[in-house]
């Protein structure tokens, strides 16, 4: 009954409104909009009917054109396709806005996973003292990344925000005006953004969403958990930031960009404080206090806006000024409006003068290349460094000399590597240590990779007496995850690294990447490998007296560690260290989960509550030896199946010729290339996870969310283990989250779209392979969950997926039609290059709407 009432509420607040406002959009006073809006329902019907009759996208679109007398030339048909794409894009924006407007109606902000719910649960179980104790140090860190999967430019985000507000109040006049504005506003950028542009786009979320959301969440922690006592000196929520610091494969990020982004973050948070102090000034009009507020306002204005003046304001001085005001109001003015002062004190403790910690990230292979250059071009290292064994290279690093001037090195890459280290020190002097204090090593495969980075600080001439930076290894592939415990044990025993850890309070952050792990080993194997790596890393860290913090590199979809993320943290193994919850968010996940204050509060509290629940109420079920053995066996079987799949001779050709992989590089959505190497050939290892996962998503095949799962479950079922799998699903929150996320991938798949490939002489067998695994996974996921339909216990998510998929069905069909059309042109003796380019542009344009509609497609 609850599910039915939820669906009724969702239909009233979202689906019915979409039908009304979509019809309003149809009647906009623009000829192109009206004509397109009239034809689009006919095209949608043709698509639905065509796939039921097992027609190809080419046959569906061609048949539709044949029935439209006004579209009797290819030029008119291409024009219509462009208009359809533009119209559908705006339908998606409208649906997004309506869902945002109804977010609070369809999500219980005080329900399970919220701060009040957790506080009540702790009180009921006599665990309030334990909750308060864990909150002395437990934190959630949400790291916004520069990965280019957010297609909405700034003006469109502004329209969506205003449209959502107008929909909440049913302001029809404003809604119509905003729809007209939407009809005339481009939905994509005409040029690629720079890394700084990407940073500015994400800082918008910091200023307009996270700043106020964190304030409200901290209030709830105070009132619900620490109502009768002072809050501990803990930030609870931290923000991280990658744009401008993430160099991994992005040749356009340099030290100048890093410093520029850090300065923008610094001034952005000061402006937020300045606005709050201006608001305080209207309330704290009391004798004595008014002068203190006036003085603080002037200091903040100078620090935020006067770029030519030296900034003398520090986090410590700012807190001292606010604390003085707090005491004055408390002692002399009956604590009137003191809660507003406390809010600002909490904000300053949380955001400092940096807003979000700017992480630096680079590939270990780049570091090693730079170190070799250092050895050959300076006297800082053994000139034969490149020829030494790894052990000898480690020993050589203990005897490095320094510093070296960046200008003494010949390559720009080597110069920037040293300058990036110096940039961290410069940022810390202005923004505080937390402004930039983490250096992440992608593709970390050895202890040497870590020690080389540590050596850079000496080589760069780090002037501070201690290196106030955490060195964070990132383990991603299945092999790297297996080797991670041994690598960390080696580091913990290294005297030089021991000294570094002692200066970092014996705390080590380790990052684990879901995206490349799934790309490398498939869905089940990646998730299980990460979990077992965490258990072993916890054990080896504890053995050496190190507190390990895990930082998860998660993307949007299940294939990249996304989906119902908080459920994994709530049900993680009790053998995993749980000092904090840290994860990346990116692309549409930022806009869908943190696009407004309601969704941001809901998702932040879900993450915080999940980690705290796991610490206070550890999950016992599903972590016994038998359950682990069952999960391990599933992983092995899945990995075997997936490994054969990616080694299939048609795997890479299929991506090159059938998918939209290469078109990601043609979109103006991000500054970085779509693959790591500059070579012309497509090499699996060089593929970035986003275009790789996105290509499968555009095909509506989503193989990375289920491939191997069906075969693994089928094998265990044949071995008589069907019942244990069903029991595990009921008892283990972790296994249930795995299965439910896989279900989501299947629900977002639509195999009829590419079923025409069954007849393809080159790829027919490969497509059948995918389809067989899809059907097998569908069958066994239902069997394990003991349901007849997928996502039965997530009716709102399922309904949202259904509507979004129906909106983009014509868009997907157009995309495949164009790909088929280009295939025909390519087979001609003298292909029309101009016409080919036009269809390529259509394919590229179709990417935007498909990804935005999916919310967590890449």
């Amino acid at each position: 009954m609850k599910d039915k009432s939820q669906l009724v509420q969702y239909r009233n607040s979202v689906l019915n409104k979409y039908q009304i406002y979509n019809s309003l959009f149809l009647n906009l006073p623009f000829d192109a909009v009206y004509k397109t809006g009239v034809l689009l329902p006919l095209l949608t019907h043709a698509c639905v009917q065509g796939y039921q009759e097992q027609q190809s996208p080419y046959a569906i679109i061609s048949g539709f054109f044949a029935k439209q007398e006004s579209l009797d030339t290819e030029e008119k048909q291409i024009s219509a396709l462009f208009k359809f794409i533009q119209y559908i894009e705006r339908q998606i924006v409208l649906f997004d806005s309506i869902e945002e407007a109804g977010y609070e109606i369809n999500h219980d902000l005080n329900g399970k996973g919220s701060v009040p719910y957790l506080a009540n649960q702790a009180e009921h179980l006599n665990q309030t003292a334990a909750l308060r104790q864990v909150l002395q140090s437990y934190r959630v860190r949400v790291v916004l990344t520069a990965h280019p999967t957010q297609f909405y430019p700034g003006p469109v985000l502004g329209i969506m925000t205003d449209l959502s507000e107008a929909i909440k109040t049913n302001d029809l006049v404003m809604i119509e005006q905003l729809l007209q504005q939407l009809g005339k506003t481009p939905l994509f950028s005409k040029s690629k953004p720079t890394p700084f542009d990407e940073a500015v786009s994400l800082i918008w979320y910091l200023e307009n969403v996270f700043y106020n959301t964190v304030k409200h969440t901290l209030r709830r922690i105070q009132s619900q958990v620490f109502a009768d006592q002072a809050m501990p000196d803990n930030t609870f929520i931290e923000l991280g930031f990658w744009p401008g610091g993430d160099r991994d494969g992005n040749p356009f990020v340099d030290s100048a960009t890093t410093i520029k982004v850090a300065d923008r973050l610094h001034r952005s948070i000061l402006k937020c404080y300045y606005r709050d102090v201006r608001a305080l000034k209207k309330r704290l009009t009391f004798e004595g206090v008014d002068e203190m507020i006036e003085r603080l306002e002037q200091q903040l204005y100078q620090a935020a806006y006067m770029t030519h003046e030296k900034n003398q304001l520090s986090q410590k001085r700012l807190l001292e000024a606010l604390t003085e005001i707090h005491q004055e109001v408390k002692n002399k003015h009956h604590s009137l409006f003191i809660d507003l002062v406390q809010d600002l004190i909490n904000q300053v403790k949380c955001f400092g003068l940096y807003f979000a910690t700017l992480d630096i990230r680079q590939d270990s292979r780049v570091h090693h290349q730079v170190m070799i250059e250092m050895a050959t071009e300076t006297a800082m290292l053994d000139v034969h460094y490149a020829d030494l064994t790894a052990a000898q290279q480690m020993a050589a690093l203990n005897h490095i000399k320094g510093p070296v001037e960046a200008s003494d090195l010949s390559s720009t890459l080597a110069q920037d590597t040293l300058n990036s280290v110096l940039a961290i020190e410069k940022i810390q002097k202005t923004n505080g240590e937390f402004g930039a204090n983490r250096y992440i090593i992608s593709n970390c495969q050895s202890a040497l990779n870590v020690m080389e980075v540590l050596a850079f600080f000496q080589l760069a001439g780090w002037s501070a007496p201690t290196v106030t930076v955490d060195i964070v290894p990132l383990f991603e592939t299945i092999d790297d995850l297996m080797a991670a415990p041994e690598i960390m044990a080696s580091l913990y025993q290294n005297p030089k690294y021991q000294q570094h850890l002692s200066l970092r309070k014996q705390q080590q952050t380790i990052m684990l990447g879901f995206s490349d792990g799934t790309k490398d080993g498939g869905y089940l194997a990646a998730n299980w490998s990460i979990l077992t790596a965490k258990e072993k890393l916890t054990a080896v860290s504890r053995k050496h007296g190190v507190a390990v913090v895990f930082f998860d590199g998660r993307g949007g979809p299940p294939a990249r560690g996304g989906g119902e993320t908080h459920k994994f943290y709530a049900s993680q193994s009790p053998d995993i260290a749980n000092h904090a919850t840290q994860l990346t968010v990116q692309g549409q996940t930022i806009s869908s989960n943190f696009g407004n204050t309601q969704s941001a509060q809901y998702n932040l509290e879900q993450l915080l509550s999940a980690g705290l629940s796991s610490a206070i109420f550890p999950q016992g079920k599903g972590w016994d030896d038998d359950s682990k053995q069952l999960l391990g066996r599933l992983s092995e079987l899945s990995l075997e199946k997936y490994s054969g799949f990616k080694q299939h001779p048609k795997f890479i050709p299929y991506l090159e010729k059938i998918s939209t992989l290469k078109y990601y590089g043609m979109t103006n959505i991000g500054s970085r290339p779509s693959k790591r190497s500059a070579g012309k050939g497509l090499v699996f290892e060089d593929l970035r996870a986003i275009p790789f996962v996105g290509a499968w998503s555009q095909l509506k095949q989503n193989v990375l969310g289920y491939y191997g799962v069906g075969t693994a479950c089928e094998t265990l079922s044949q071995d008589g283990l069907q019942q244990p799998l069903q029991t595990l699903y009921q008892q283990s929150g972790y296994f249930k989250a795995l299965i439910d996320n896989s279900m989501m991938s299947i629900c977002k798949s639509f195999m009829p779209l590419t079923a025409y490939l069954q007849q393809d002489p080159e790829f027919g067998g490969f497509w059948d392979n995918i389809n067989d695994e899809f059907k097998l996974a569908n069958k066994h996921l239902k069997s394990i969950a003991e349901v007849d339909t997928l996502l039965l216990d997530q009716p709102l998510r399922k309904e949202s997926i259904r509507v979004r998929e129906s909106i983009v069905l014509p868009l997907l069909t157009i995309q495949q039609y164009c790909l088929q059309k280009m295939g025909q042109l390519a087979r001609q003796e003298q292909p029309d290059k101009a016409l080919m380019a036009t269809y390529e542009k259509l394919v590229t344009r179709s990417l935007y709407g498909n990804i935005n509609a999916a919310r967590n497609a890449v």
Side-chain angles (χ1 to χ4, degrees):
M1 292 298 293
K2 181 182 177 182
D3 288 348
K4 287 185 178 180
S5 64
Q6 284 181 327
L7 276 175
V8 170
Q9 193 167 261
Y10 181 78
R11 285 167 184 159
N12 289 335
S13 62
V14 176
L15 302 187
N16 292 344
K17 286 189 175 183
Y18 175 69
Q19 294 300 328
I20 293 169
Y21 297 136
N22 190 39
S23 64
L24 188 64
F25 186 64
L26 172 64
N27 290 307
L28 290 180
F30 310 135
D31 288 343
V33 170
Y34 179 77
K35 292 175 182 177
T36 305
V38 169
L39 289 176
L40 185 57
L42 301 177
L43 176 59
T44 301
H45 176 74
C47 292
V48 172
Q49 186 175 20
Y51 290 121
Q52 289 175 347
E53 297 172 359
Q54 299 181 330
Q55 293 182 14
S56 71
Y58 181 83
I60 291 170
I61 298 294
S62 298
F64 171 77
F65 284 148
K67 295 178 182 178
Q68 308 303 320
E69 293 182 2
S70 61
L71 303 176
D72 55 354
T73 67
E74 188 162 22
E75 182 180 1
K76 292 178 181 178
Q77 291 169 3
I78 289 172
S79 176
L81 292 178
F82 274 114
K83 289 174 182 175
F84 285 140
I85 291 172
Q86 293 164 358
Y87 191 96
I88 294 169
E89 286 175 337
R90 287 158 176 77
Q91 284 185 309
I92 295 161
V93 172
L94 175 61
F95 190 76
D96 282 347
S97 301
I98 293 171
E99 275 206 328
E100 278 196 13
Y103 195 92
E104 197 166 355
I105 297 173
N106 294 298
H107 295 81
D108 188 353
L109 300 187
N110 295 311
K112 188 173 182 180
S114 68
V115 167
Y117 184 93
L118 178 64
N120 290 334
Q121 185 184 26
E123 182 179 8
H124 178 70
L125 297 174
N126 296 317
Q127 292 293 317
T128 299
L131 176 58
R132 289 173 175 172
Q133 181 60 39
V134 175
L135 277 170
Q136 296 294 319
S137 59
Y138 201 93
R139 301 173 184 180
V140 164
R141 177 178 292 210
V142 173
V143 180
L144 308 185
T145 77
H147 296 319
T149 57
Q150 174 50 259
F151 288 79
Y152 293 138
V156 177
L157 288 173
I159 294 172
M160 290 175 67
T161 299
D162 294 341
L163 188 56
S164 293
E165 290 301 314
I167 290 169
K168 284 181 184 178
T169 57
N170 294 312
D171 187 344
L172 290 176
V173 174
M174 179 57 70
I175 290 170
E176 183 174 14
Q177 289 178 338
L178 289 169
L179 288 176
Q180 289 190 46
Q181 183 184 0
L182 183 63
K184 287 186 167 290
T185 301
L187 265 68
F188 67 99
S189 301
K190 294 182 179 180
S191 59
K192 283 184 178 290
T194 66
F196 183 71
D197 293 334
E198 292 173 336
V200 170
S201 296
L202 288 187
I203 289 172
W204 183 93
Y205 289 97
L206 297 182
E207 293 175 334
N208 294 282
V209 179
F210 282 99
Y211 184 77
N212 289 319
T213 301
V214 169
K215 180 190 296 185
H216 188 61
T217 301
L218 293 179
R219 279 181 191 166
R220 280 156 70 92
I221 293 173
Q222 171 73 72
S223 63
Q224 297 293 326
V225 183
F226 297 99
D228 56 347
Q229 57 183 258
M231 287 241 281
D233 189 19
N234 182 26
T235 58
F236 305 109
I237 297 168
E238 298 174 334
L239 299 178
F241 207 74
W242 276 15
D246 179 11
R247 288 155 167 73
D248 179 23
N250 189 337
F252 307 110
V253 173
D254 57 21
S255 56
T257 303
T258 300
I259 291 172
K260 188 177 179 182
V261 170
D263 180 69
R264 182 62 174 255
L265 287 165
H266 174 68
R267 296 189 183 280
S268 292
I269 190 59
L270 288 175
K271 290 173 183 178
C272 289
Y273 295 155
Y274 174 72
R275 287 194 292 268
D276 276 5
V277 168
R278 294 270 295 176
L280 266 178
K281 187 179 178 181
K282 294 180 181 179
R283 297 291 172 262
L284 302 184
T285 53
F286 322 132
E287 184 178 354
V289 177
D290 55 349
E291 295 178 358
M292 298 163 70
I293 286 287
E294 177 75 26
R295 188 162 56 249
L296 182 58
E297 178 192 11
Q298 290 177 0
Q299 291 175 341
L300 282 168
Y301 179 83
Q302 289 177 352
Y305 295 99
M306 308 298 283
T307 57
H308 63 280
E309 294 189 13
K310 187 176 181 181
N311 178 19
Q312 299 294 330
L313 194 63
S314 66
Q315 181 183 18
K316 181 181 178 182
R317 289 185 62 182
L318 185 53
L319 284 172
E320 286 173 349
L322 288 169
T323 302
E324 186 180 356
I325 292 169
H326 187 280
Q327 289 298 319
E328 190 77 3
V329 172
K330 179 180 179 181
N331 296 333
K332 297 183 180 180
H333 302 287
H334 310 289
S335 297
L336 190 59
F337 299 121
I338 200 169
D339 55 325
L340 300 180
V341 182
Q342 186 59 54
D343 281 345
L344 187 49
I345 289 173
N346 292 340
Q347 295 292 81
V348 175
K349 286 182 178 180
C350 185
F351 299 122
L353 300 188
Y354 57 92
F355 218 153
T357 299
L358 184 59
D359 290 343
I360 307 299
R361 185 172 77 129
Q362 182 58 285
D363 193 294
S364 65
R365 290 166 291 192
V366 171
H367 298 141
H368 193 62
Q369 177 185 336
V370 171
M371 199 62 78
I372 291 172
E373 182 175 332
M374 197 94 61
T376 57
E377 297 186 1
T378 74
M380 301 303 165
L381 273 172
D382 187 325
V383 69
H384 301 295
Y385 182 81
D387 301 322
L388 302 177
T389 65
Q392 290 171 331
Q393 288 173 339
M394 288 271 282
L397 292 175
N398 290 326
H399 304 288
I400 57 172
K401 303 171 185 177
V404 59
E405 293 294 330
S407 57
D408 291 341
L409 301 171
S410 59
S411 75
T412 303
L413 184 62
Q415 292 173 6
D416 185 68
T417 300
L418 289 188
N419 285 332
S420 68
V421 171
L422 294 177
I424 296 173
E425 187 172 32
K426 183 175 181 179
I427 292 166
Q428 288 191 2
K429 288 177 180 177
T430 303
N431 297 12
E433 180 186 324
F434 288 97
N437 70 340
R438 307 206 308 181
Y439 197 117
I440 300 165
I441 308 168
S442 297
N443 191 43
C444 187
Q445 297 182 330
S446 69
L448 175 65
N449 295 156
V450 177
M451 296 307 296
E452 285 185 331
V453 169
L454 187 58
F456 281 133
F457 287 85
Q458 183 177 345
L459 290 165
W462 183 274
S463 61
T466 60
V467 176
T468 50
V469 176
D470 294 325
I471 312 298
V472 183
L474 167 53
F475 302 106
E476 299 176 272
T477 67
I478 302 298
D479 288 343
D480 291 348
L481 288 165
M482 292 176 65
E486 184 179 346
I487 291 171
M488 295 312 301
S490 174
L491 284 169
Y492 294 152
Q493 296 171 58
N494 182 289
K496 193 168 184 177
Y497 198 73
Q498 283 178 345
Q499 182 183 15
H500 172 69
L501 277 180
S502 68
L503 297 172
R504 303 307 292 160
K505 299 179 180 180
Q506 290 298 113
Q507 180 171 294
Q508 174 68 55
T509 300
I510 299 175
M511 187 175 180
L512 303 118
F514 284 80
S515 300
D516 281 317
T518 307
K519 177 188 137 194
D520 182 47
Y523 177 65
L524 281 179
N527 278 273
W528 184 245
S529 295
I530 288 172
L531 185 138
T532 53
K534 284 184 176 181
E535 288 187 334
K536 293 175 181 177
L537 287 165
T538 297
V540 75
S541 297
R542 286 172 176 168
K543 179 181 176 182
H544 291 88
V546 176
V548 65
V549 172
F550 294 113
F551 174 28
D552 292 329
R554 294 181 180 272
R560 299 184 57 228
E564 298 287 295
T565 301
H566 63 277
K567 292 184 178 179
F568 288 102
Y569 293 114
S571 59
Q572 66 181 340
S573 165
D575 294 326
I576 293 175
N578 186 24
H579 303 295
T581 298
Q582 298 191 7
L583 73 162
T584 58
V585 292
Q586 56 199 246
Q588 322 96 298
T589 310
I590 296 174
S591 58
S592 61
N593 289 358
F594 302 98
N596 59 57
T597 52
Q598 290 81 25
S599 61
Q601 179 194 320
Y602 179 85
N603 286 292
L604 275 177
E605 292 192 13
Q606 289 288 322
L607 287 170
L608 180 62
S609 179
L612 292 169
S613 297
S614 183
I616 301 166
F617 318 114
Q619 294 278 323
K621 292 183 178 180
W623 297 116
D624 56 277
D625 290 342
D626 289 343
S627 296
K628 284 188 173 183
Q629 187 175 356
L630 192 60
L631 286 167
R633 181 64 178 145
L634 269 175
S635 171
E636 291 172 4
L637 292 167
S638 176
L639 176 60
E640 182 180 348
K641 178 68 174 178
Y642 179 81
S643 296
F645 176 59
K646 74 175 187 179
Q647 291 164 9
H648 193 287
K650 295 301 177 184
F651 187 91
I652 293 297
Y654 187 81
L655 286 173
E656 284 187 301
K657 298 180 182 180
I658 301 299
S659 82
T660 57
L661 181 69
K662 66 180 180 181
Y663 297 98
Y664 275 82
M666 301 179 186
T667 59
N668 294 322
I669 59 171
S671 63
R672 68 186 193 167
S674 57
K675 64 191 184 80
R676 284 185 167 86
S677 75
K680 294 183 178 179
L682 187 61
V683 179
F684 180 81
E685 288 73 20
D686 285 337
L687 287 175
R688 287 195 171 277
I690 286 176
F692 180 69
V693 174
W696 291 111
S697 175
Q698 294 282 326
L699 286 167
K700 305 309 290 182
Q701 292 175 354
N702 292 319
V703 297
L704 297 176
Y706 62 81
Y707 198 94
V709 176
T711 294
C713 292
E714 172 83 357
T715 302
L716 291 184
S717 179
Q718 291 173 351
D719 291 344
L721 295 173
Q722 181 70 19
Q723 182 60 53
L725 287 173
Q726 292 173 337
T727 302
L728 188 63
Y729 180 82
Q730 297 299 325
Q731 294 183 346
S732 168
Y734 172 79
F735 185 57
K736 187 178 188 304
L738 277 178
I739 295 300
D740 288 353
N741 268 357
S742 192
M743 285 185 184
M744 192 193 309
S745 293
I746 288 181
C747 283
K748 291 187 174 184
S749 300
F750 185 63
M751 296 304 290
L753 179 71
T754 53
Y756 69 91
L757 290 170
Q758 285 179 295
Q759 310 305 320
D760 189 275
E762 182 178 2
F763 296 111
F766 189 74
W767 188 92
D768 285 336
N769 179 0
I770 296 171
N771 191 46
D772 289 344
E773 187 66 14
F774 173 83
K775 291 189 291 186
L776 204 57
N778 193 355
K779 168 190 169 184
H780 283 287
L781 292 177
K782 291 177 182 176
S783 177
I784 289 171
E786 299 180 85
V787 294
D788 294 326
T789 181
L790 299 175
L791 297 181
L792 187 64
D793 60 348
Q794 298 182 56
L796 299 192
R797 179 177 290 278
K798 185 173 183 179
E799 188 69 356
S800 178
I801 291 172
R802 182 191 67 78
V803 177
R804 289 175 179 278
E805 294 301 315
S806 67
I807 292 173
V808 298
L809 183 62
L811 197 56
L812 293 163
T813 307
I814 290 169
Q815 183 183 98
Q816 284 294 316
Y817 166 81
C818 293
L819 288 170
Q820 287 186 272
K821 190 79 174 178
M822 288 161 59
Q824 293 176 0
L825 290 171
R827 288 190 289 272
Q828 295 177 0
E829 288 187 13
Q830 293 183 324
D832 186 329
K833 293 182 179 180
L835 191 58
M836 181 78 82
T838 300
Y839 281 111
E840 280 189 342
K841 186 177 179 181
L842 276 165
V843 172
T844 304
R845 289 286 285 109
S846 70
L847 296 176
Y848 297 87
N850 284 333
I851 290 183
N852 283 331
R855 303 309 292 264
N856 64 357
V858 291

